[in-house]
Amino acid sequence: MVERVGSTNSALLSDGQAIEGDWLVALHQDDGRGRHGRVWQSIEGNFLGSTIVQLHAGDPPASALALVAGLALIEAVAAAAPSVPLSLKWPNDLMLGGAKLGGILLERSGERVVAGFGVNLAAAPAIDGRQTAALMPTADLTPQTFAPLIAGSFSRLLSAWRNVEPAALAQAWLARAHPVGTRLEVHSGPAERIAGTFDGIDLDGAMRLRRDNGVIEVIRAGDVHLA
């Protein structure tokens, strides 16, 4: 754990000595970011950490690591706060009720993938157009106490990604996500919006969206807004 870093993802991915299983956790980030280059606010007491995966021949699709990361995050938080109503929102959000509690950013360089996690343990940032939540005061967790929870959960699920049937991992993710049939809208660009209902996920983690005309579209990237 370090006091301050620009971005845990960038620092770990650029570290040529980092190996699978290594973690970098920071108390503050000066250049934290989410998907599409959005700023991830650094608030004292929140968790900011990244780990690295080395891809090997014969591994499942790297895109399915999003399922690993999501399951690892929700299971780690649930272990510390079992009474909190948690769910996963495709592609990378941890929700507390209808508000965002945490997020995940996966980035790849060659045969290495870094998974970055941000969790509002102490306080929720203000985000335009989004509801946010923090785990306090329901559960009193610090970055230091949460780090071993997420590390252990991620290690176990990474092993499952390599050793169990892909369908089992997808089903485990679906069991913690918004239900099939949930009305949602996908924003894939400034003027690109697609509405429909959630129809599950493919084994590689892509989302299936059932349009109002019954056509199924496979969505691999985009922001999802639940109706």
Side-chain angles (χ1 to χ4, degrees):
M1 182 173 291
V2 299
E3 177 69 27
R4 184 178 297 272
V5 73
S7 158
T8 56
N9 264 25
S10 295
L12 195 57
L13 202 56
S14 64
D15 182 355
Q17 303 302 312
I19 61 173
E20 183 170 296
D22 285 350
W23 278 81
L24 177 61
V25 177
L27 298 181
H28 300 277
Q29 282 188 138
D30 295 325
D31 192 27
R33 62 188 184 279
R35 295 177 65 247
H36 306 302
R38 297 188 185 98
V39 173
W40 186 276
Q41 298 178 40
S42 179
I43 297 177
E44 185 174 358
N46 287 351
F47 181 81
L48 307 162
S50 301
T51 189
I52 199 158
V53 176
Q54 179 67 49
L55 301 177
H56 303 289
D59 277 347
S63 57
L65 287 170
L67 307 181
V68 171
L71 282 168
L73 181 54
I74 195 170
E75 291 187 6
V77 175
S83 64
V84 172
L86 300 172
S87 63
L88 295 169
K89 181 169 76 69
W90 193 92
N92 67 341
D93 286 344
L94 176 64
M95 308 296 289
L96 194 165
K100 181 171 179 174
L101 178 65
I104 301 161
L105 179 63
L106 295 173
E107 296 181 289
R108 180 173 178 173
S109 177
E111 297 306 301
R112 305 202 307 166
V113 176
V114 68
F117 299 85
V119 189
N120 303 330
L121 300 179
I127 303 176
D128 288 342
R130 295 289 302 273
Q131 288 184 300
T132 57
L135 209 53
M136 280 286 288
T138 305
D140 187 8
L141 278 177
T142 66
Q144 293 90 338
T145 56
F146 184 70
L149 296 179
I150 184 66
S153 183
F154 189 87
S155 176
R156 182 179 62 79
L157 284 154
L158 184 63
S159 177
W161 172 71
R162 289 191 168 116
N163 293 292
V164 305
E165 288 295 323
L169 195 65
Q171 286 300 319
W173 190 95
L174 279 172
R176 308 304 294 266
H178 39 81
V180 169
T182 298
R183 187 78 185 171
L184 50 80
E185 188 175 67
V186 179
H187 297 194
S188 55
E192 299 177 25
R193 300 188 177 191
I194 306 172
T197 56
F198 180 57
D199 196 63
I201 57 173
D202 285 343
L203 299 184
D204 64 355
M207 184 181 73
R208 295 195 301 271
L209 177 72
R210 183 179 294 274
R211 302 292 298 274
D212 293 338
N213 61 6
V215 172
I216 301 294
E217 293 202 22
V218 177
I219 309 294
R220 301 194 180 279
D223 291 328
V224 169
H225 296 263
L226 303 182

